[in-house]
Amino acid sequence: MPSISTYDSALLTANVLDDENASANGALYDSKGRLLVESVRAVDRTDSHIPGDPASVPRPSAVVGHYNHPGYDTYIDEAIFGGHIFAGWGHTITETISSAWASTEVPQEVPLVMVPWGRLWVSALPRIRETMALAGWGDRPLIMTVGTAVFGKVHVPERLVRFDDLLHRGASIPAEMNAVYDLMIGRSTLSDPRPRIPTFLARTRGHRRAHPYEEAIEAALAERGFRVVEGWDLGVREQIALINSSSCLVAFSGSSLHNSVFAERSIPVLEIMDNRASSTSLVERPLQAALCELREQPFTRVQGYDNGQARTVPDVVEEVMGLCVSLA
């Protein structure tokens, strides 16, 4: 069972973003000024360095009597620290909701505090909030802060998914995360089951890693009977319901394919690699494999390039079609 820790008189430092290095230095500290490692996104225990926070040096102790502390922006009597909110969908359905298992451990009236990571668009907030509610947080009060906050009492649940650990260390995802995904599926799927058909999960147009033939491959699969899901145009429940009715899931690398967590167990998942140096990308991106292992789904990578050259549309499509049949 994951753990949840409770601290009195904790200090949340300001979340100052460093866009160039994709990091930030906000974190929770206890009343003696000690870093609470549960509050940071990545923990490298091999050298005691905490990426994203200056953890290698002692932090000045929080001032006793936080009510009169001149350096904080907000005082919160009691809260749950749930981690970080992201504009990116892949981070939302992996990291952001990975503390939602703790929703039943703390009374519903206790607010949830989340820290935005990067710039959030106002238009994205309703979708993020809906996702968090489906994951178990429900209509619990939500406080988002980037400033310094002092807590009379703060509950800090273990985050089941740490993106950096998955990307760079090949960590596995605890089985307890299944309960979060199963809850979201149960709250989204229709009582009248939809027919199961193969599904291609599209990426937004102009993706920074776009394959030269990406849209052509998508169109060719649609002609062969694939349903194309453009998740950014759907409500969260509708998106989950469509994915859950898939017989095979296919997408290019990235957050679109992370939606496989909402497919049924045993459904084949195919990742079309978008990296020219595909031989190294197998090591560099273990996240999708970890998600499929968690959900007990057969997972296969389809190379998008051959010796640095983009594979042709028929070549990729025929391989995809054959794998969807053979892995079913």
Side-chain angles (χ1 to χ4, degrees):
M1 181 70 182
S3 62
I4 181 168
S5 303
T6 299
Y7 303 92
D8 295 324
S9 302
L11 173 69
L12 176 65
T13 56
N15 192 50
V16 180
L17 295 172
D18 180 348
D19 289 336
E20 183 177 349
N21 296 310
S23 64
N25 65 356
L28 274 172
Y29 297 84
D30 68 12
S31 60
K32 296 182 179 180
R34 294 174 296 200
L35 174 72
L36 305 181
V37 294
E38 309 99 298
S39 67
V40 296
R41 291 186 60 206
V43 180
D44 185 348
R45 299 184 187 278
T46 61
D47 61 0
S48 301
H49 174 63
I50 310 296
D53 202 275
S56 302
V57 296
R59 190 81 182 187
S61 297
V63 174
V64 176
H66 288 307
Y67 290 96
N68 299 316
H69 192 303
Y72 68 85
D73 302 310
T74 306
Y75 175 81
I76 301 172
D77 186 53
E78 182 179 8
I80 307 171
F81 182 77
H84 297 86
I85 289 181
F86 306 84
W89 178 246
H91 290 281
T92 298
I93 61 173
T94 52
E95 280 193 84
T96 295
I97 63 173
S98 72
S99 59
W101 67 268
S103 60
T104 59
E105 304 296 313
V106 182
Q108 182 68 17
E109 63 271 14
V110 176
L112 173 67
V113 171
M114 304 290 291
V115 176
W117 185 277
R119 295 175 178 85
L120 292 180
W121 299 283
V122 174
S123 59
L125 294 181
R127 183 177 176 83
I128 295 171
R129 190 65 178 97
E130 181 184 5
T131 304
M132 293 172 60
L134 288 173
W137 290 122
D139 58 0
R140 183 185 297 271
L142 172 64
I143 299 173
M144 291 195 298
T145 179
V146 295
T148 302
V150 168
F151 300 91
K153 176 182 294 185
V154 63
H155 310 279
V156 188
E158 178 183 349
R159 276 185 266 184
L160 301 180
V161 177
R162 292 180 183 271
F163 218 74
D164 191 71
D165 289 346
L166 288 168
L167 284 178
H168 303 300
R169 299 178 182 87
S172 59
I173 301 174
E176 288 84 359
M177 195 67 189
N178 274 317
V180 177
Y181 293 131
D182 289 341
L183 179 63
M184 297 179 73
I185 292 169
R187 291 176 169 179
S188 303
T189 51
L190 302 175
S191 56
D192 183 17
R194 304 185 185 200
R196 297 199 177 278
I197 60 176
T199 301
F200 180 83
L201 304 174
R203 297 197 292 197
T204 53
R205 305 306 179 208
H207 193 279
R208 62 186 176 87
R209 295 194 312 267
H211 187 281
Y213 305 137
E214 187 157 334
E215 292 185 32
I217 291 171
E218 175 185 323
L221 288 172
E223 290 177 358
R224 300 286 291 269
F226 273 69
R227 170 178 53 204
V228 176
V229 173
E230 297 178 340
W232 60 89
D233 278 339
L234 300 173
V236 177
R237 286 178 172 83
E238 174 69 6
Q239 182 175 345
I240 292 174
L242 285 173
I243 292 166
N244 189 253
S245 65
S246 301
S247 60
C248 180
L249 274 180
V250 181
F252 280 88
S253 303
S255 60
S256 290
L257 195 57
H258 299 345
N259 283 296
S260 61
V261 296
F262 303 123
E264 289 290 331
R265 307 295 207 280
S266 78
I267 294 301
V269 177
L270 308 182
E271 177 182 12
I272 305 176
M273 305 302 292
D274 58 15
N275 190 332
R276 292 178 186 273
S278 54
S279 61
T280 61
S281 65
L282 302 186
V283 177
E284 292 170 356
R285 296 195 210 136
L287 174 56
Q288 187 60 51
L291 291 171
C292 289
E293 180 181 7
L294 172 74
R295 301 300 284 167
E296 301 174 9
Q297 297 160 335
F299 173 60
T300 300
R301 292 182 170 98
V302 174
Q303 295 301 329
Y305 292 84
D306 185 6
N307 293 322
Q309 299 298 315
R311 294 176 66 192
T312 66
V313 174
D315 195 17
V316 173
V317 169
E318 290 304 318
E319 183 175 354
V320 166
M321 296 297 297
L323 286 169
C324 279
V325 172
S326 64
L327 294 175

